[in-house]
Amino acid sequence: MAKVTAGRDELGAFAPKFAELNDDVLFGEVWSREDKLSARDRSVVTVTALMARSMHMAASYWGFVLMSIHLGMHWGMIVGMFKRLLRGRKMTVAAQWGLRLAAVIIAGYGLLCFIQKDIVSYMFLKNQFVFFDFEQGAISVFVQYIAMMGFWIFVSYYIIRGIGRISGKHSKGRGKTNEKN
């Protein structure tokens, strides 16, 4: 087997230790052990590992979106719990509209982040690797993902409310129907 120098050629100046481990240990010692595994078997293991990583990444993003949609479907119940915590104190109309405006802003920012991070390409396996911006702070990452979650909560909550109104149920209260005579 020919000596592999791709790590040193591409990463030698930037990450010399990583390049050394890549060329000497991974390809020099581990990959060249034909007495342990044949080249075909090593290739099968590598391809399988790459496929498993891709499937895990796609499932993670789908889980994130579906969990957010699930929260949105139950958002009315969550709001109701907060109302009970307020013990019947009425919120002013201005406060209600302020909260609605905040929800629209969070959902809009979440949609923008969802598009900028190109999450759809990861969900449908169009992109095989997630590129992280290591210059971005952890709090900024959390805020972006919470905003993306807020977008899906917002969308599913208002879709469920719209379906409830179309089907004749009140937007408030569970199981009540409009009586139209």
Side-chain angles (χ1 to χ4, degrees), residues 36 116 148 162:
K36 306 284 185 209
Q116 284 180 338
M148 285 188 275

Side-chain angles (χ1 to χ4, degrees), residues 48-134:
T48 303
L50 291 172
M51 286 175 50
R53 184 183 53 80
S54 295
M55 294 303 292
H56 171 71
M57 182 177 63
S60 297
Y61 281 111
W62 275 104
F64 175 76
V65 170
L66 292 173
M67 178 184 62
S68 302
I69 290 171
H70 182 81
L71 280 172
M73 293 172 72
H74 298 288
W75 198 250
M77 183 176 64
I78 294 167
V79 169
M81 288 187 327
F82 279 108
K83 284 181 180 178
R84 278 193 289 275
L85 286 175
L86 291 173
R87 294 191 177 104
R89 286 183 243 147
K90 289 280 185 176
M91 194 181 311
T92 65
V93 174
Q96 288 176 352
W97 281 103
L99 288 173
R100 287 179 183 144
L101 178 63
V104 168
I105 290 170
I106 292 170
Y109 181 63
L111 176 60
L112 176 71
C113 292
F114 196 80
I115 292 168
Q116 284 180 338
K117 289 189 177 289
D118 197 21
I119 302 296
V120 172
S121 70
Y122 300 124
M123 292 172 69
F124 290 102
L125 297 173
K126 291 181 180 178
N127 196 340
Q128 298 298 315
F129 191 75
V130 177
F131 297 97
F132 294 108
D133 180 7
F134 292 104

Side-chain angles (χ1 to χ4, degrees), residues 2-23:
K3 181 161 176 69
V4 176
T5 61
R8 285 188 180 87
D9 295 345
E10 297 296 322
L11 299 170
F14 175 70
K17 185 63 178 174
F18 179 77
E20 176 189 338
L21 290 171
N22 181 67
D23 293 347

